[in-house]
Amino acid sequence: MFNLNIGLPGVDSKTDPEFIPFILIFLSFNFSGSVIFSYKIRKVLTNLEKQNGAFDIVEVGDWGAEGFAIFKKYKDRLIVRCHTPSFVSEKYNPSNKPYLSNFIKFLEKLIIRNAKYVASPSKSLIKEIKKYTQIKGEIIIEPYPLQSQHVPYKLAYQKSFMANRPLKIVTVGRLEERKGQDVLCRALNILHQKGLPIKTTFIGADTPLSNKETMKTKLTKILSNKTRMRVTFAGQIPREEMPQKYTEFDIFVTASRFESLGFVILEAMRA
């Protein structure tokens, strides 16, 4: 007898026969558990509706087709809120390992194509999505709000433009091809060749690539020896520290090949 326990609370694979098809999909197509998570959402919604009545609107995210298991039931009142679906993100990160299986990416497109509403933070993301699938439902553009709880009333600026101090440049974002940090590295090499006094800090978590290399290693190889001495990879910094961190630099730079909204640009403008 085959018995599989994946630790989902409230679901027993031995007593809940409806769970078995999702186990098979999980094993066959995707190891991230996206479909299993979707099934869990459906179970929670069903229990809530028994207590409170039917929902008028149900909203799900685009990533990992998390609305798959509820798509048929809530199709006429389903909102898919898009950030960057995996089939778009992978296009701009060709050296990364695939985030999700082709089957899950197919489901992402299916749900976005047939949802009653599709909410997006920008028109540019909708334009990218339409390269891969139609959008039959109504499109809602809702830019992300800036969080203000971590911004002090008055920021302590440390800028002082002096001839004997190099300009301090910062770029913020996870280290990946989509963010275009490789373009910035090549530009920095040119600036240092010209003898311009600059120091650059990369803020953001590193990511593994499919060739067992990391993005940080790839960027370091692009930098010339002279440039490398004036570049710092600071890693990820807590969000609550970032408003003050921006003020420590003279210039903010982003070289992203694509952004669904470009949140760090808004944060830098705010600082």
Side-chain angles (χ1 to χ4, degrees):
M1 178 178 179
F2 178 70
N3 180 25
L4 176 64
N5 180 6
I6 62 170
L8 270 178
V11 178
D12 187 344
S13 59
K14 293 181 293 184
T15 60
D16 192 347
E18 193 177 17
F19 188 62
I20 295 175
F22 291 92
I23 288 284
L24 297 177
I25 292 174
F26 173 78
L27 292 174
S28 302
F29 296 106
N30 195 63
F31 291 95
S32 72
S34 298
V35 174
I36 303 298
F37 178 67
S38 180
Y39 175 82
K40 182 60 180 176
I41 291 175
R42 188 177 74 175
K43 201 169 187 70
V44 170
L45 287 175
T46 299
N47 290 335
L48 288 173
E49 285 192 319
K50 287 179 181 178
Q51 301 171 23
N52 304 295
F55 293 107
D56 297 316
I57 293 290
V58 176
E59 179 178 307
V60 295
D62 57 356
W63 186 271
E66 66 180 41
F68 165 68
I70 63 171
F71 172 68
K72 186 175 180 180
K73 180 177 180 180
Y74 297 100
K75 181 179 177 181
D76 61 337
R77 43 193 160 139
L78 186 69
I79 298 177
V80 177
R81 185 163 298 277
C82 297
H83 176 59
T84 308
S86 66
F87 59 84
V88 172
S89 186
E90 285 186 8
K91 172 188 173 182
Y92 291 97
N93 291 310
S95 297
N96 287 28
K97 295 179 180 179
Y99 299 119
L100 298 170
S101 70
N102 289 333
F103 177 72
I104 295 298
K105 284 179 279 190
F106 165 78
L107 292 180
E108 284 183 343
K109 298 172 190 176
L110 177 69
I111 295 168
I112 291 173
R113 180 166 63 248
N114 293 289
K116 181 73 172 180
Y117 304 97
V118 175
S120 170
S122 67
K123 292 181 180 178
S124 63
L125 178 56
I126 292 295
K127 184 178 179 180
E128 284 292 319
I129 291 174
K130 284 184 174 179
K131 293 178 182 178
Y132 301 92
T133 185
Q134 291 179 306
I135 298 178
K136 298 178 182 179
E138 182 179 342
I139 296 171
I140 305 169
I141 305 298
E142 291 183 343
Y144 300 135
L146 281 173
Q147 296 179 343
S148 59
Q149 65 266 36
H150 300 311
V151 181
Y153 177 72
K154 186 176 181 180
L155 295 172
Y157 285 88
Q158 301 178 27
K159 296 182 175 70
S160 55
F161 297 96
M162 298 180 294
N164 62 344
R165 182 181 69 79
L167 282 174
K168 294 190 290 184
I169 297 174
V170 66
T171 184
V172 180
R174 185 171 55 252
L175 303 184
E176 59 180 10
E177 288 175 293
R178 180 169 69 91
K179 300 293 185 180
Q181 291 108 340
D182 57 313
V183 177
L184 176 57
C185 286
R186 293 183 179 92
L188 292 174
N189 286 339
I190 295 172
L191 294 176
H192 284 293
Q193 282 180 350
K194 294 179 179 294
L196 296 178
I198 57 175
K199 288 186 176 181
T200 308
T201 299
F202 289 74
I203 296 176
D206 197 6
T207 55
L209 304 179
S210 57
N211 59 358
K212 298 183 180 180
E213 192 177 48
T214 68
M215 192 63 190
K216 178 182 175 181
T217 303
K218 181 176 180 178
L219 295 176
T220 302
K221 290 179 179 179
I222 295 173
L223 298 171
S224 66
N225 291 333
K226 185 177 180 180
T227 305
R228 203 175 297 132
M229 295 173 61
R230 291 181 170 268
V231 168
T232 300
F233 290 95
Q236 190 169 2
I237 292 178
R239 179 176 294 275
E240 60 269 19
E241 296 178 17
M242 283 306 300
Q244 184 60 52
K245 198 69 179 175
Y246 280 109
T247 69
E248 299 174 10
F249 299 90
D250 304 309
I251 300 173
F252 167 81
V253 176
T254 183
S256 288
R257 293 178 168 89
F258 172 76
E259 290 286 348
S260 56
L261 181 67
F263 209 73
V264 294
I265 300 173
L266 301 180
E267 290 178 337
M269 291 171 64
R270 177 181 61 186

